[in-house]
């Protein structure tokens, strides 16, 4: 018999999630939940042991549970790491929201992780690599007939959250350097990125060696086939695409990438499927237990603050827009509800003001039952509403700064009289968030209780209690006032 000489094709699976802030299912259990993802992962692994689970960044923050007090600190993503460990995550890209926590919390979370953190273009303040974060990882995946494929995972992080303990280098220059240095050592390049779609497209264009880009940051699922001519294309294997995939935030969906590498023709076949995570998927019991344990720790802390996390506040006929990009640049239906609630709580105030950065969900809150936990998810840091008397001059200066802060958390959301009716010589009663009187908001360092242009009248209630009561007591009227059904 003649010896059959055939190329070996090696199959492997990448399970991708990105931008995950909640450990339990959201929207009344309809979507997401990491115990369900764990069950799916187990099934994929049974079908092919060469299954790798990757998270394309943003998981330590923002999350409501993460703000819960715990052992003299806040949870600050500790619950996420514990659940991702239980779920069996293999690799996590560093996203911009990882730097919402302080340096000490950031390093503690890395230390608690049983998965590998990756990012090639970040370093500490001194420019040194963080211990526990690798720039890339090369997987060696064996086939049944003795061949193997080397898969490089290279990670890049968006430089959108500058804090004093991190420095960035340019993602494309950095990627170019690693891909060149590892030439010949990697058969398949997977970029696991946390970049904007525009940056991912530029990356695909600049580094044609990348076979696949698994990204995050946008929060809504995206698939782009970026057509480029690859330098190593051949007539038998015209690898002329670098597909870019992003799943929906909070594991509403995940991507399952079934990859097959032909070691002879050096071809990669990619078969990707967007998988909704719903109640149709069972929960992995071991992961579920860890989820429940941390949820209880968080919920008990909220109960001590006077909240009943599972209590339904209102049935919303519409989804509420709490996306950072929107609440930090213009009013949305959600911010209008918040200013209405502040106005009703402070009927004598001519104006109400809060900073867009107070809203931390960075997502849409779906129509349907809104629980007190959802309100905590929207406004995890809470804070009192303070009533002051303010000079027209000072008020106008503050509002002008709010406009300048457009695009950042310091953008000011307003209710009450129109800003252009303010008279410099008059004094106005204003209800605003206590945080805005700390001098810590961008460009508002002069805005403190010591400013001679204002006088504190009253320290009111926590904004979350105000919003809960407003929605509960006004129910559907609140939405009718918005001009919505
Ligand atoms: Zn992000």
């Amino acid at each position: 018999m003649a010896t059959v000489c055939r190329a070996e094709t090696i199959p492997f699976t990448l399970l991708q999630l990105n931008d995950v802030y909640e450990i339990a299912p959201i929207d009344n259990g309809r979507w997401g939940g990491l115990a369900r993802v764990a069950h799916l992962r187990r099934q994929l692994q049974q079908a092919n042991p060469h299954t790798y689970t990757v998270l394309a960044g943003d998981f330590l923050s923002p999350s409501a549970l993460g703000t819960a007090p715990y052992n003299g600190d806040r949870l600050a993503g500790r619950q996420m790491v514990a659940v991702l460990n239980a779920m069996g995550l293999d690799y996590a890209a560093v996203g911009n929201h990882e730097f919402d926590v302080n340096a000490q919390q950031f390093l503690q979370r890395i230390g608690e992780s049983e998965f590998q953190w990756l990012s090639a273009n970040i370093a500490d303040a001194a420019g040194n690599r963080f211990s526990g974060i690798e720039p890339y990882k090369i997987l060696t995946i064996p086939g049944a007939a003795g061949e193997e494929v080397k898969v490089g995972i290279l990670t890049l992080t968006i430089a959108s959250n500058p804090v004093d303990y991190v420095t960035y280098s340019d993602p494309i220059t950095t990627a170019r350097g690693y891909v060149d240095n590892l030439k010949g050592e990697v058969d398949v390049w997977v970029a696991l990125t946390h970049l904007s779609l525009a940056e991912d497209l530029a990356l695909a264009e600049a580094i044609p060696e990348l076979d696949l880009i698994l990204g995050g940051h946008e929060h809504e699922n995206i698939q782009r086939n970026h057509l480029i001519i690859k330098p190593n294309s051949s007539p038998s294997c015209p690898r002329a695409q670098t597909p870019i995939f992003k799943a929906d935030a909070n594991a509403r969906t995940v991507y399952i990438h079934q990859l097959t590498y032909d070691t002879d023709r050096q071809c990669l076949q990619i078969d990707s499927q967007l998988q909704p995570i719903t109640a149709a998927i069972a929960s992995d019991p071991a992961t579920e237990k860890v989820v429940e344990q941390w949820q209880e720790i968080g919920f008990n802390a909220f109960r001590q603050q006077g909240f009943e996390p599972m209590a339904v506040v209102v049935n919303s006929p519409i989804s509420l827009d709490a996306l950072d990009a929107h609440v930090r640049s213009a009013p949305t239906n959600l911010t209008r509800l918040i200013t209405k609630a502040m106005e009703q709580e402070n009927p004598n105030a001519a104006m109400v003001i809060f900073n867009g950065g107070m809203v931390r969900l960075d997502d849409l809150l779906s129509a349907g039952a809104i629980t007190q936990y959802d309100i905590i998810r929207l406004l995890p840091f809470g804070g009192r509403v303070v009533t002051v008397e303010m000079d027209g001059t000072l008020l106008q200066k503050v509002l002008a700064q709010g406009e300048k802060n457009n695009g950042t958390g310091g953008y000011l959301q307003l209710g009450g009289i129109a800003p252009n009716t303010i008279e410099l010589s008059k004094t106005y009663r204003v209800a605003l968030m206590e945080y805005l009187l700390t001098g810590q908001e961008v460009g508002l360092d002069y805005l403190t209780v010591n400013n001679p242009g204002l006088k504190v009248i009253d320290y009111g209630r926590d904004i979350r209690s105000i919003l809960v009561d407003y929605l509960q007591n006004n129910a559907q009227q609140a939405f009718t006032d918005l001009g919505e059904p």
Side-chain angles (χ1 to χ4, degrees):
M1 262 170 71
T3 312
V4 180
C5 181
R6 66 184 188 91
E8 171 153 26
T9 56
I10 304 176
F12 59 101
T13 304
L14 298 176
L15 172 60
Q16 174 198 355
L17 54 169
N18 49 268
D19 304 272
V20 183
Y21 313 104
E22 294 293 329
I23 56 180
I26 54 171
D27 298 343
N28 304 302
R30 283 198 298 260
W31 294 98
L34 294 179
R36 291 172 183 162
V37 179
H39 177 82
L40 180 65
R41 174 188 165 273
R42 192 183 291 265
Q43 285 183 321
L44 292 170
Q45 200 157 39
Q46 276 163 4
N48 184 348
H50 300 300
T51 294
Y52 305 89
T53 306
V54 300
L55 199 171
D58 275 6
F59 55 101
L60 288 189
S61 171
S63 91
L65 270 195
T67 65
Y70 181 68
N71 288 352
D73 196 0
R74 290 181 189 269
L75 281 180
R78 189 173 170 151
Q79 80 290 356
M80 291 300 310
V81 170
V83 173
L84 292 169
N85 285 343
M87 188 189 87
L89 180 67
D90 295 299
Y91 301 103
V94 177
N96 52 302
H97 280 308
E98 272 57 89
F99 303 117
D100 291 349
V101 303
N102 66 38
Q104 195 195 353
Q105 292 165 335
F106 179 70
L107 296 174
Q108 280 173 349
R109 295 301 88 85
I110 294 173
E112 289 156 8
S113 301
E114 290 162 18
F115 48 87
Q116 177 64 54
W117 289 58
L118 298 173
S119 181
N121 69 319
I122 60 160
D124 67 16
N128 298 315
R129 186 153 291 297
F130 286 103
S131 120
I133 302 182
E134 298 290 337
Y136 65 91
K137 170 77 189 171
I138 299 176
L139 309 172
T140 303
I141 305 173
E147 293 288 319
E148 60 184 31
V149 56
K150 288 197 190 299
V151 179
I153 302 178
L154 178 68
T155 289
L156 301 161
T157 302
I158 189 170
S160 68
N161 188 2
V163 293
D164 58 5
Y165 67 90
V166 63
T167 53
Y168 301 87
S169 53
D170 177 67
I172 289 177
T173 315
T174 306
R176 183 79 268 162
Y178 280 104
V179 169
D180 286 347
N181 284 338
L182 294 162
K183 203 175 167 66
E185 291 178 48
V186 169
D187 302 309
V188 173
W189 270 119
V190 176
L192 179 66
T193 65
H194 193 85
L195 299 171
S196 68
L197 180 61
E199 288 173 300
D200 279 322
L201 287 164
L203 182 69
E205 184 81 38
I207 321 277
E209 291 92 335
L210 299 176
D211 295 285
L212 182 60
I213 297 178
L214 308 184
H217 193 62
E218 264 87 6
H219 287 200
E220 284 175 15
N221 76 75
I222 292 172
Q223 178 180 351
R224 285 292 158 86
N225 284 315
H226 186 71
L227 290 169
I228 43 169
I229 302 304
K230 302 226 175 202
N232 55 355
S233 293
S234 68
S236 69
C237 180
R239 292 194 293 169
Q241 291 192 346
T242 305
I244 300 170
F245 296 101
K246 308 190 184 205
D248 293 280
N250 277 323
R252 281 189 171 85
T253 63
V254 297
Y255 256 111
I256 301 168
H257 307 285
Q258 306 281 8
L259 307 171
T260 312
Y261 186 71
D262 181 325
T263 58
D264 183 43
R265 289 162 62 224
Q266 302 189 340
C267 280
L268 178 71
Q269 263 195 9
I270 304 169
D271 177 10
S272 299
Q273 179 204 340
L274 186 69
Q275 171 69 53
I277 301 297
T278 66
I281 298 175
S283 290
D284 172 65
T287 307
E288 177 98 329
K289 223 173 141 178
V290 180
V291 169
E292 282 169 4
Q293 178 196 332
W294 287 97
Q295 187 156 272
E296 243 353 80
I297 289 170
F299 280 13
N300 281 335
F302 296 136
R303 285 183 190 113
Q304 278 173 19
Q305 296 172 359
F307 295 101
E308 186 36 65
M310 296 317 291
V312 174
V313 177
V314 73
N315 262 297
S316 173
I318 48 169
S319 77
L320 297 175
D321 185 351
L323 286 164
D324 277 0
H326 298 165
V327 299
R328 297 179 175 205
S329 60
T332 73
N333 55 10
L334 171 76
T335 67
R336 295 207 304 276
L337 281 181
I338 297 172
T339 51
K340 286 266 183 214
M342 290 173 77
E343 285 172 33
Q344 194 178 74
E345 176 87 356
N346 302 278
N348 295 323
M351 233 182 159
V352 300
I353 307 176
F354 75 89
N355 47 312
M358 177 173 85
V359 178
R360 290 296 183 109
L361 191 67
D362 199 5
D363 202 351
L364 298 174
L365 194 61
S366 301
I370 294 176
T371 62
Q372 289 196 13
Y373 181 60
D374 289 323
I375 302 296
I376 301 171
R377 286 173 66 209
L378 285 169
L379 310 172
F381 295 105
R384 290 185 293 184
V385 174
V386 185
T387 310
V388 299
E389 297 277 9
M390 204 186 282
D391 288 352
T393 322
L394 178 61
L395 181 55
Q396 203 169 62
K397 192 177 164 191
V398 168
L399 298 183
Q401 185 62 42
E403 273 307 312
K404 276 190 204 149
N405 290 349
N406 195 305
T408 76
Y411 173 75
L412 298 179
Q413 295 283 358
L414 313 174
I417 61 168
N420 61 10
T421 62
I422 293 166
E423 293 175 42
L424 299 182
S425 57
K426 278 195 176 170
T427 298
Y428 294 88
R429 186 162 287 211
V430 176
L432 76 176
M433 294 307 301
E434 188 171 11
Y435 174 74
L436 289 172
L437 292 171
T438 61
Q440 291 177 56
E441 190 54 272
V442 182
L444 293 174
D445 53 336
Y446 54 84
L447 189 59
T448 69
V449 291
N450 299 321
N451 189 302
L454 68 83
K455 190 174 117 207
V456 173
I457 304 295
D458 175 50
Y459 286 91
R461 298 193 298 154
D462 186 285
I463 182 67
R464 295 171 297 187
S465 305
I466 292 172
L467 186 58
V468 165
D469 287 352
Y470 173 72
L471 291 174
Q472 217 151 37
N473 299 336
N474 296 273
Q476 303 312 324
Q477 188 60 40
F479 298 100
T480 311
D481 288 350
L482 281 180
E484 309 268 4

